[in-house]
Each structure stands twice: as C-alpha cells, then as structure tokens.
Amino acid sequence: MKKFTALLLSLVLALCVVPAMAETLIVATNPEFPPFEYVEGEDVVGLDIDIAREIAKDLGWEVEVQSMAFDAIVPAVASGKATIAIAGMTINDERKMSVDFSDPYYNAKQACIVLKDGVVTDGETLKDKVIGVQQGTTGDFAAEEYTAADKVMRYNKALDAVMELAGGKLDAVIIDAPVAANLVASMNNENLVVLDNIEFGDEFYGIAVQKGNADLVASINATIERINTDGTMDELLLKYFPVEEEAAEDAEAAAE
Ligand code: GLN
C-alpha cells in the first residue's frame, strides 16, 4: 500500500511539474525590418514574431526572442544557440548548406528606393552607383549585380541606409519591397520613392532550424498550414499591412 501511495504521489508530482517545465523556443531575429520584426517600446514585435508565437503555441512552448545582426542569425541557429530563426529570411541554397528551412510562408521581391529627383531612375542608371543595403541580405547580393562590391554600403539597420539615402550619401537602397514601402511611408519624406520598373526575382521567406531537426520542421510546417487555413494569417497580414487593407477597401468601394 505504501508503495502504491508513493507511486501515486510521484505521479501527481510529475503531472504538476511538467507544465512548469515547458520548453522555450529561442527565436533569433534582427528587429530592423518592419513590419516583419521591429522594436516597439521594450518589445520586439511584428508579423514574424506573431508567427513564432503561433508555432510555440502549437508546440506548447514558451517564446524567447533574441535580437542580433542579420548575418549572425544563421550561425546562431546552426550552432543551436537559437531554436529557430524568423527574420524575413529568404530561402536560398547558400543558407541551406548551414540550416534547414520550413515551407515558405511569404513571397517578397527586392525593391529599389531612390531620391525623387536623383540620378537613378531605372535598372540602367542604377549601374555603378553607390547602393545601400542591409549587410548579408539578398538585397546585398542583388546590389553586387549592379555595382562594384566597394560601392555597396552595408548597414545593420535598414533604416540607417534609407536615412543616408535621404541625406544624399547614397544613390539608391535595395531592400525587400514590403519593408521598402513601410520605411518610406514611416519616414514621411516626399523625396523618397520606390521604383517600380526594375524586375527583381521572387523570394520566399522560410523559418530556419538547425540541420537535421525534421520533427521541428514538421511542426512548423503544420503551424504554417494551420494559420494559412484558419484565417490567422489573413488577420496578421491585415494587422501589419494596414495600407494594403485600405487600398483593398478603396478598390472594393470603387467596384461597387
Ligand atoms: N529577405 C532578405 C534576406 O533574406 C532580407 C532579410 C532581412 O533583412 N531581415 O536576405
């Protein structure tokens, strides 16, 4: 009987202890990329962070966000210091050598921001110019297709690049289109425009995990599938892209 009581007691204890020991999803990101990740007050927020919370919810885990330079993110996941990376990160072959990726969750392209009356007006005039980028991003690689490596100015913060452009120190900035639109709108500077006549290729954002962690990739993919079908992703997109929402509403109103 005593044995049975002891067993029961340890079972009850175990049940009490397990929820308190929830694992932590350590999320590596670079919160300089609105609306995907940015700092608001003391917190890192954004579309990617909300997606990370959905992933953690499905796993029953806690979330801890770790901010770092963009080019430190893949090494952090590869070494296991972070469980996942979600950072508007484009899935590409080079990164796939160091980490595994989830299914794509967002499709973006690069965009080129210039000064309204500046020298760059299209792909031809972009050649050999001084181009600002976020260090180690696909915008950084795209810039090297237009100009010499030493004419690519690399920043840790996208906003710093756009401010340098506004100040006349750069001829252009190449960065992901949704972020270009967000930064230009938030700077409220009429001299900054996003060119629409340069064709950049499709890029797909994925969530990175340590190589070989197939269970975690499967769980992340299940969450991506869930939020794409239960309306969560639509809600999040409207939350973080309110301009597009207004534009869509205007288009709807015009069609009526
Ligand atoms: N999508 C780009 C890349 O993966 C930019 C990401 C970023 O700056 N956060 O390189």
Side-chain angles (χ1 to χ4, degrees), residues 30 32-33 37 70 73 87-92 95 108 110 134-139 141 158 175-176 203 205:
N30 171 242
E32 304 294 341
F33 207 61
E37 41 269 330
F70 185 79
I73 292 176
M89 185 179 284
T90 304
I91 302 169
N92 69 17
R95 292 172 184 159
Q110 294 302 305
Q134 281 219 129
Q135 166 112 7
T137 61
T138 46
F141 312 142
I175 189 154
D176 298 36
E203 296 189 16
Y205 293 175

Side-chain angles (χ1 to χ4, degrees), residues 19-65:
M21 293 197 326
E23 282 187 67
T24 301
L25 187 76
I26 301 171
V27 179
T29 198
N30 171 242
E32 304 294 341
F33 207 61
F36 295 94
E37 41 269 330
Y38 53 100
V39 177
E40 203 172 71
E42 309 246 294
D43 301 321
V44 176
V45 296
L47 175 60
D48 281 348
I49 308 306
D50 283 356
I51 293 173
R53 292 194 188 287
E54 293 295 326
I55 292 166
K57 190 167 88 185
D58 289 346
L59 287 163
W61 292 8
E62 311 279 331
V63 173
E64 182 191 319
V65 178

Side-chain angles (χ1 to χ4, degrees), residues 135-148:
Q135 166 112 7
T137 61
T138 46
D140 186 346
F141 312 142
E144 288 200 15
E145 287 172 22
Y146 284 91
T147 200

Side-chain angles (χ1 to χ4, degrees), residues 48-217:
D48 281 348
I49 308 306
D50 283 356
I51 293 173
R53 292 194 188 287
E54 293 295 326
I55 292 166
K57 190 167 88 185
D58 289 346
L59 287 163
W61 292 8
E62 311 279 331
V63 173
E64 182 191 319
V65 178
Q66 280 188 6
S67 301
M68 58 193 76
F70 185 79
D71 56 1
I73 292 176
V74 166
V77 172
S79 68
K81 271 191 218 138
T83 331
I84 66 167
I86 184 160
M89 185 179 284
T90 304
I91 302 169
N92 69 17
D93 288 344
E94 197 195 325
R95 292 172 184 159
K96 273 195 208 161
M97 291 196 293
S98 317
V99 290
D100 286 344
F101 280 100
S102 70
D103 291 336
Y105 66 93
Y106 193 88
N107 176 205
K109 290 180 186 226
Q110 294 302 305
C112 184
I113 314 174
V114 297
L115 290 174
K116 200 160 116 199
D117 301 314
V119 287
V120 180
T121 54
D122 56 14
E124 204 45 49
T125 46
L126 180 60
K127 284 192 186 140
D128 304 322
K129 297 298 188 305
V130 180
I131 306 175
V133 298
Q134 281 219 129
Q135 166 112 7
T137 61
T138 46
D140 186 346
F141 312 142
E144 288 200 15
E145 287 172 22
Y146 284 91
T147 200
D150 64 352
K151 284 188 173 172
V152 179
M153 302 298 146
R154 301 180 169 86
Y155 301 84
N156 276 330
K157 302 181 181 185
L159 185 62
D160 288 350
V162 182
M163 300 232 284
E164 294 273 273
L165 171 66
K169 297 209 179 89
L170 302 171
D171 298 314
V173 168
I174 298 182
I175 189 154
D176 298 36
V179 179
N182 184 292
L183 291 174
V184 167
S186 69
M187 280 182 70
N188 208 4
N189 178 339
E190 283 186 359
N191 286 325
L192 296 172
V193 289
V194 180
L195 292 180
D196 60 7
N197 55 6
I198 303 181
E199 214 16 76
F200 292 102
D202 275 323
E203 296 189 16
F204 295 95
Y205 293 175
I207 295 154
V209 308
Q210 196 173 35
K211 261 196 163 309
N213 199 343
D215 288 349
L216 186 56
V217 172

